[in-house]
Amino acid sequence: MTKEIYDYEVRCKACYKKFTTQLLESHEKNLWLVDKKDWYCETCKTEYFEKQASKLAKSHAKIGFPTLIGTPKTVSWAEKIRADLINKVNFLKKSLVFNDDDKKKETSDLAFDLFLQEWQEKTDAKWWIDNRKITVRNISDRIQKLSGSFD
């Protein structure tokens, strides 16, 4: 069973330019989408993602991460992924409790620094995209290995 493809004329929410989009749902659902969804033309969409990627790249540069290498689209996606992964690292670091054990806290901080240095060497946008499913558990395991190397 094949679905019918319907063409609809929509207006960009940013620049108000009209453009055609194709939708695959029922005609009734498509009409609802055309009316309720915010539509953006390719130019405005590209401009938006470039701005977002630029903001993320600047904030990452402030904490020592280099500019990513790749196509504009992959760099934009990878910057978002990198931000999410850095947030996971920060969450993990803030959630640790040391009960006034300064030695363990110092070792942990050093392991986190080494871990982030490893990630700072990753300049290819493809690496970040390929590793987008890294979990807090994966990060924790790697940091634990790094902190174990200090003993």
Side-chain angles (χ1 to χ4, degrees):
M1 184 174 160
T2 60
K3 289 188 173 186
E4 287 191 49
I5 299 174
Y6 298 97
D7 289 338
Y8 296 91
E9 190 172 90
V10 294
R11 189 178 298 275
C12 176
K13 186 175 179 176
C15 70
Y16 304 111
K17 183 177 99 180
K18 287 184 179 181
F19 63 98
T20 302
T21 188
Q22 292 184 333
L23 299 172
L24 303 172
E25 299 293 335
S26 69
H27 182 64
E28 292 78 23
K29 186 171 183 178
N30 289 342
L31 287 175
W32 185 86
L33 285 171
V34 166
D35 189 41
K36 300 295 181 190
K37 185 178 174 194
D38 291 337
W39 295 96
Y40 295 94
C41 66
E42 287 302 314
T43 305
C44 292
K45 214 183 308 183
T46 302
E47 191 176 296
Y48 171 78
F49 286 120
E50 285 174 357
K51 282 181 189 174
Q52 294 299 90
S54 176
K55 283 182 193 176
L56 289 172
K58 286 176 185 174
S59 68
H60 294 156
K62 288 179 185 175
I63 58 172
F65 282 86
T67 303
L68 293 177
I69 300 166
T71 65
K73 201 170 194 172
T74 59
V75 168
S76 176
W77 188 19
E79 286 289 358
K80 184 182 180 319
I81 292 166
R82 183 163 70 173
D84 291 341
L85 291 175
I86 290 170
N87 286 338
K88 287 180 183 182
V89 172
N90 292 335
F91 169 79
L92 178 62
K93 189 173 184 177
K94 288 177 184 173
S95 68
L96 296 177
V97 178
F98 296 102
N99 296 326
D100 296 328
D101 189 344
D102 291 337
K103 178 71 173 147
K104 281 187 179 179
K105 182 174 180 359
E106 187 178 309
T107 302
S108 175
D109 287 345
L110 188 55
F112 273 96
D113 289 343
L114 286 174
F115 179 78
L116 288 173
Q117 284 176 12
E118 287 178 356
W119 274 7
Q120 288 169 345
E121 295 171 4
K122 310 298 184 192
T123 59
D124 187 13
K126 184 181 179 329
W127 184 91
W128 292 96
I129 294 167
D130 291 346
N131 290 281
R132 68 186 175 273
K133 294 186 180 179
I134 291 175
T135 63
V136 173
R137 164 90 55 208
N138 301 133
I139 295 166
S140 176
D141 290 345
R142 180 64 185 143
I143 289 173
Q144 198 168 18
K145 283 181 185 175
L146 289 170
S147 61
S149 68
F150 301 133
D151 298 336

